[in-house]
Amino acid sequence: MAKFITFEGIDGAGKSTHIGFVADLLRAQGLQVVTTREPGGTALGEALREVLLHQKMHLETEAMLMFAARREHLAQVIEPALARGDWVISDRFTDASFAYQGGGRQLPLAKLEALEQWVHPHLQPDLTLLFDVPLEVARARLDASRTLDKFEQEKAAFFAATRAEYLRRAAQFPERFRIIDATRTIAEVQQELTQIISSLSGKQSGKQ
Ligand code: TYD
């Protein structure tokens, strides 16, 4: 049975490093895997990503554009892939809207819940890997690695609130979230990911 896996975490937590690793694990089991990202994943979504990551705008505009990109992403990529029986790995999904627009920017969660109900009332990820690190670690990784976009330029309080909302959602939906302690080495994190993925794709490896 095809599954939908999402990767989440504050900027600098290191999730992107691990996406290819998890995709390769699944492909090694003979599964078809689609990797994608949000905002983005379609031509329109990537155009919206450019605007979202670099232009200032009203908070509600930002939230609605995130969900507009997501609507297109679901219609063009995620839903067709799952319908074909492919596994889908998305670098961020709706939990990021709750964490960044809801937690970080304080948009009332009820507004995000309304958008979620509109855009994907019946679909949730089967597994959400939340890469969690303290803010100082995330900041040090970001500073070392690149030119910062609009979100990455936010202050510590923004990321504290973003991280707190991610952790609150992980506690609210324990059946699909796994919190990954991303302060560890890449090898240690990958060992844990291997265990998580083998229990999720247990049908192929003989387990339920
Ligand atoms: P990110 O996934 O970190 O990509 P990269 O590693 O290339 O920088 O960047 C996406 C940014 O968009 C990130 O800062 C979080 C933000 N974001 C939201 O604020 N809300 C959302 O719903 C999504 C999907 C992303």
Side-chain angles (χ1 to χ4, degrees):
M1 182 58 182
K3 301 241 193 279
F4 178 30
I5 303 175
T6 57
F7 280 60
E8 299 283 358
I10 58 172
D11 293 276
K15 65 184 168 46
S16 308
T17 311
H18 299 292
I19 289 181
F21 176 77
V22 168
D24 287 346
L25 280 179
L26 292 168
R27 289 188 181 116
Q29 296 182 29
L31 300 168
Q32 292 292 324
V33 182
V34 172
T35 59
T36 185
R37 69 169 179 181
E38 290 204 349
T42 64
L44 176 62
E46 292 294 328
L48 290 171
R49 179 187 178 92
E50 259 317 291
V51 173
L52 280 161
L53 265 52
H54 302 291
Q55 279 190 34
K56 283 205 188 317
M57 61 187 76
H58 189 283
L59 168 55
E60 293 188 351
T61 310
E62 182 176 286
M64 288 190 280
L65 286 181
M66 290 288 180
F67 274 94
R70 184 163 298 132
R71 184 70 194 88
E72 197 66 17
H73 193 207
L74 282 158
Q76 285 198 30
V77 178
I78 299 175
E79 290 171 344
L82 293 172
R84 287 195 300 273
D86 292 357
W87 286 51
V88 177
I89 298 180
S90 187
D91 186 347
R92 301 191 186 281
F93 190 62
T94 295
D95 295 305
S97 300
F98 279 89
Y100 280 78
Q101 282 67 51
R105 299 218 201 284
Q106 307 281 287
L107 182 69
L109 298 184
K111 294 197 170 173
L112 294 164
E113 281 158 7
L115 288 170
E116 180 183 36
Q117 274 307 304
W118 186 6
V119 169
H120 58 98
H122 305 303
L123 181 83
Q124 287 296 335
D126 297 291
L127 171 68
T128 298
L129 298 168
L130 173 56
F131 290 79
D132 187 54
V133 287
L135 302 190
E136 316 76 68
V137 176
R139 175 51 58 182
R141 287 180 182 171
L142 275 186
D143 289 345
S145 69
R146 52 181 147 185
T147 319
L148 304 183
D149 67 36
K150 185 180 90 181
F151 292 99
E152 291 164 348
Q153 287 167 18
E154 288 286 347
K155 304 217 170 353
F158 173 89
F159 286 109
T162 301
R163 182 185 183 204
E165 178 59 17
Y166 266 135
L167 291 170
R168 193 192 67 74
R169 286 181 69 76
Q172 187 181 1
F173 304 110
E175 68 291 347
R176 74 174 163 91
F177 267 91
R178 294 293 299 261
I179 300 175
I180 310 290
D181 170 5
T183 59
R184 294 171 301 167
T185 64
I186 290 177
E188 286 168 329
V189 169
Q190 291 185 342
Q191 198 174 14
E192 184 178 5
L193 291 173
T194 305
Q195 283 164 6
I196 293 171
I197 294 303
S198 75
S199 60
L200 186 71
S201 57
K203 214 171 81 193
Q204 281 72 28
S205 60
K207 283 183 277 165
Q208 254 330 300

